[in-house]
């Protein structure tokens, strides 16, 4: 299976785990909607930094505040 | 393995295959940079519509022209 874990890049450089086993990701207006294999859904104010399918990792960065 | 294929959503609703076996995806300013397992790289003026890891499919939509 190809689920990935989604992390949010914190200001201090650490990565906070947001959701495991993500199978669906949909960017919206200033948000990313993540769904996992269990049907859990999370919407987070962020943008995609990069998606690394070899390492099953989605890295998000916080949405820039206006 | 978890490579996905990246498609671009055309105006007529069809999906054009851009790159197969994508393992790395990085959004930039108005572009998406895709890399595949063979080291091929493509930069395309688009944004991410959605990423479906169950179906190994990345769907992009053309960047909006100013």
């Amino acid at each position: 299976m190809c689920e990935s874990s989604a992390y949010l890049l914190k200001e201090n450089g650490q990565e906070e785990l947001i959701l495991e086993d993500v199978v669906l990701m949909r960017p919206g207006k200033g948000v990313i909607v993540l769904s996992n294999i269990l049907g859990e859904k999370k919407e987070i104010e962020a943008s995609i930094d990069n998606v690394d399918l070899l390492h099953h990792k989605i890295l998000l960065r916080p949405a820039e505040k206006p």
Side-chain angles (χ1 to χ4, degrees), chain A:
Chain A
M1 294 298 286
C2 290
E3 307 92 327
S4 292
S5 293
Y7 298 85
L8 183 66
L9 190 60
K10 311 286 282 185
E11 273 182 31
N12 61 9
Q14 288 194 322
E15 298 173 357
E16 178 190 346
L17 179 63
I18 301 295
L19 190 62
E20 288 183 300
D21 298 330
V22 172
V23 291
L24 198 62
M25 176 169 67
R26 184 182 288 272
K29 280 189 186 294
V31 300
I32 304 290
V33 181
L34 303 165
S35 306
N36 76 2
I37 193 115
L38 301 172
E40 288 179 87
K41 214 165 178 174
K42 282 204 181 170
E43 187 173 309
I44 179 162
E45 289 184 5
S47 60
I48 297 167
D49 185 85
N50 75 78
V51 177
D52 182 343
L53 296 177
L54 273 188
H55 298 97
H56 298 212
K57 182 174 177 179
I58 295 166
L59 188 61
L60 307 175
R61 59 175 61 240
E64 287 172 23
K65 303 294 180 192

